[in-house]
Amino acid sequence: MRAARIHEYGGPAAIRLDEIPTPVPGPGEVLIHVTATSLNPTETALRSGRLAELLPITLPVTLGWDVAGTVDGEPFVGMLPSGAAAEFAVAAPETLVPAPAAIPLADAAALPLAGMTAWQAVTEHTRIAPGERVLINGAGGGIGGYAVQLAKHAGASVLATASARSAATVRGLGADEVHDYTAGPPAVGAPVDVVLNCAAIEPAAAAALVPLVRRGGRIVTVATPVEAAEESGVTAWHMITRNDPADLAALVRLVDAGVLRPVITARRTLADLPELHRLAESGGIHGKVIVRP
């Protein structure tokens, strides 16, 4: 089978399209016929070695965390520790959930990591409540797009930052206001209750988010950490996503109910992964990119 692998840490050129044996499921595993994976910008950190201490791996390794595919002909979606950027992969069945019926199976590959990150940020870490004003920084990205939809579903008034190329899409997802992040900190008027930072930003830009939040409000970041001095009265913390099939199943239900949709901006193949990694590192990726074997 074809698999996109790295044999050593390095730049995008380290990604090789190899022909390797189809994996054989071990005890308690199933074989997935992969329909698609999707690109997550943090995978560039895995490839370069920046995540080596946090996520130790044995090289060579097949890339790909998000997976949508079939098991014995039935459609499933899930998140793997690695191996989804291939024609076949193996997984423990309890890590997979039935794929949404409302969208093509390949598109479901856009859901696991970005969707679960947004879900956990909105429902657990910020605990957004009806009527709250929420600023989502980096709403044009894969996580941010889901966060806008989930915050609106929770009953919040959503302010968002995005680039000019993403502004119309973010409004279409339900944002009440969209601010161009290149113009500096957004003019939010009255302080907001919550800031959810989904963007990799400079420390100065992170610090500029704190004054936008009311005393007693909260900041949660899934990307660049934000520090809030005690005297600001703002609570700030950095969250780490966990792979939770129950959360993924909840997202699938929202997709099938028409509440949530992935924002897919490109559809590529495994051979395009080096180029996609270069684009991700230069900020050239927005929304979600589907990658088929």
Side-chain angles (χ1 to χ4, degrees), residues 137 185 195 197 199-213 219 221 223-228 236:
N137 192 46
V195 166
N197 177 50
I201 52 179
E202 295 297 325
L209 294 174
V210 179
L212 304 179
V213 185
I219 299 173
T221 182
T224 304
V226 178
E227 296 184 4

Side-chain angles (χ1 to χ4, degrees), residues 2-24:
R2 291 187 304 275
R5 303 201 298 173
I6 56 169
H7 294 251
E8 63 280 323
Y9 294 124
I15 302 172
R16 291 169 33 178
L17 193 55
D18 294 339
E19 287 284 345
I20 63 172
T22 299
V24 177

Side-chain angles (χ1 to χ4, degrees), residues 31-275:
L31 181 67
I32 307 167
H33 188 179
V34 177
T35 300
T37 184
S38 76
L39 177 68
N40 293 288
T42 46
E43 292 179 67
T44 65
L46 176 73
R47 184 216 69 233
S48 68
R50 298 196 308 273
L51 292 182
E53 291 188 8
L54 181 63
L55 294 175
I57 57 176
T58 300
L59 297 171
V61 68
T62 300
L63 299 173
W65 293 329
D66 295 333
V67 67
T70 56
V71 176
D72 296 329
E74 294 298 316
F76 288 91
V77 63
M79 194 173 98
L80 309 182
S82 65
E87 293 181 277
F88 293 90
V90 295
E94 61 269 18
T95 65
L96 304 175
V97 302
I103 59 175
L105 181 56
D107 292 5
L111 196 58
L113 179 54
M116 284 191 288
T117 301
W119 173 268
Q120 291 164 20
V122 169
T123 65
E124 296 178 20
H125 294 275
T126 59
R127 297 192 177 187
I128 292 171
E132 288 193 308
R133 298 176 72 238
V134 177
L135 172 64
I136 297 174
N137 192 46
I143 298 170
Y146 289 126
V148 169
Q149 296 174 80
L150 292 171
K152 283 298 292 185
H153 185 59
S157 175
V158 176
L159 296 74
T161 69
S163 65
R165 69 181 177 186
S166 299
T169 298
V170 171
R171 287 191 188 92
L173 296 176
D176 298 285
E177 299 178 21
V178 181
H179 301 265
D180 184 348
Y181 73 86
T182 64
V188 298
V192 299
D193 300 290
V194 175
V195 166
L196 174 53
N197 177 50
C198 303
I201 52 179
E202 295 297 325
L209 294 174
V210 179
L212 304 179
V213 185
R214 66 169 175 81
R215 292 189 65 84
R218 56 247 190 241
I219 299 173
V220 170
T221 182
V222 303
T224 304
V226 178
E227 296 184 4
E230 185 176 348
E231 57 268 23
S232 72
V234 174
T235 303
W237 65 95
H238 183 270
M239 63 161 279
I240 301 296
T241 309
R242 70 179 186 280
N243 186 2
D244 190 327
D247 289 350
L248 183 54
L251 292 166
V252 167
R253 289 192 292 271
L254 290 178
V255 171
D256 280 336
V259 172
L260 191 69
R261 65 177 176 90
V263 178
I264 296 169
T265 55
R267 301 174 192 277
R268 308 294 285 273
T269 68
L270 293 181
D272 298 316
L273 272 177
E275 177 195 354

